[in-house]
Amino acid sequence: MKNNEISKHGLKLFPVKTKVDRYDEVPVSDYNSFESFLSKNFAQDGYIVAYLDYTVIIRKFKDDKIIFMNGEKPFDPKFIQKLRLFNNNRELFIWRTEGKWKARFRIDDHGAEIKNVIEANQVLFGTTGKVENGFTSLTETRGTEIILSFEIKSVDAEKNRVKIKTRNYIDYNKLGQAGYIDCRFVDFTFGIDNKPIEGN
């Protein structure tokens, strides 16, 4: 598939400039130092998807803070398996490995050009939505729940699904074989048109 050519699945290749920084260790000794690391290195508003040992948390990151629900306590960073803090042009990805946490910061529209990038919209769990105080609880018949930090009033099991837009970066090895070298979250989208839910 060539650049700007749309596949039968609706995916399109396009070029993008992108820059990556890596961190060999992320401070997780306490919540305040961890949140300070996010603020210093991301430096914009966005969303957080945190995969903890016991649950998945989706919240907004605004004014250098993770925005929790009323009465909700911040999580202990030591339970993070991986975490993505992202918006339309950047992502800070943190993961746990061998007893410590590492990070990759990718910012687009800067740096060297990657000729082949592809975006996809991945459907989230949840066919029913309940809105309360600016948050939406997504559920299915199996009983699991995902709480989103924005309001979606018309979720159903067919066309009206919440999705995460991902951007996937393709490069070539020494043999000329193409493969994915990275993936980042971009935004939350909704419905068959994949419209941004809020924008950021």
Side-chain angles (χ1 to χ4, degrees):
M1 194 168 71
K2 298 178 181 178
N3 274 351
N4 296 316
E5 180 181 342
I6 299 176
S7 76
K8 64 181 180 179
H9 303 294
L11 303 175
K12 181 174 72 172
L13 286 174
F14 59 94
V16 68
K17 289 184 178 180
T18 189
K19 179 183 176 185
V20 175
D21 291 317
R22 301 189 184 278
Y23 306 85
D24 287 331
E25 192 156 3
V26 176
V28 296
S29 56
D30 60 68
Y31 183 81
N32 288 336
S33 63
F34 176 73
E35 192 173 58
S36 177
F37 175 83
L38 299 181
S39 173
K40 178 182 177 182
N41 291 284
F42 192 76
Q44 289 187 3
D45 292 348
Y47 294 107
I48 277 190
V49 178
Y51 301 85
L52 308 179
D53 289 336
Y54 54 91
T55 192
V56 176
I57 293 176
I58 300 174
R59 299 291 181 267
K60 288 181 183 175
F61 187 76
K62 187 172 178 62
D63 298 329
D64 299 328
K65 301 285 183 186
I66 301 174
I67 307 302
F68 292 98
M69 297 186 297
N70 289 337
E72 182 182 17
K73 293 182 179 179
F75 56 82
D76 190 329
K78 71 181 181 182
F79 293 116
I80 294 171
Q81 295 179 3
K82 57 184 178 179
L83 179 147
R84 293 181 183 269
L85 169 55
F86 62 97
N87 64 22
N88 282 312
N89 71 338
R90 61 185 58 196
E91 183 193 64
L92 181 62
F93 175 47
I94 297 169
W95 69 95
R96 183 172 66 200
T97 178
E98 299 177 350
K100 66 177 183 178
W101 287 259
K102 296 185 176 183
R104 181 271 290 141
F105 177 63
R106 181 178 289 278
I107 179 168
D108 288 344
D109 302 321
H110 294 75
E113 182 177 84
I114 288 185
K115 295 189 180 300
N116 295 312
V117 173
I118 197 166
E119 290 184 342
N121 290 275
Q122 302 181 16
V123 177
L124 280 184
F125 170 92
T127 55
T128 303
K130 179 182 178 183
V131 174
E132 186 173 354
N133 297 325
F135 290 81
T136 302
S137 170
L138 295 180
T139 57
E140 290 188 9
T141 53
R142 337 182 248 199
T144 305
E145 178 184 49
I146 294 178
I147 297 175
L148 305 175
S149 56
F150 43 81
E151 294 188 357
I152 295 292
K153 297 180 179 178
S154 54
V155 175
D156 60 39
E158 297 179 5
K159 297 180 179 179
N160 296 313
R161 301 293 299 271
V162 180
K163 305 169 189 176
I164 292 182
K165 179 191 284 188
T166 62
R167 179 170 289 178
N168 305 277
Y169 302 79
I170 301 169
D171 207 351
Y172 298 85
N173 63 19
K174 293 179 181 179
L175 299 176
Q177 298 167 323
Y180 291 117
I181 60 167
D182 201 2
C183 172
R184 77 171 182 90
F185 288 0
V186 177
D187 201 358
F188 287 97
T189 61
F190 184 68
I192 59 174
D193 296 328
N194 299 318
K195 292 182 179 179
I197 286 178
E198 292 185 317
N200 48 51

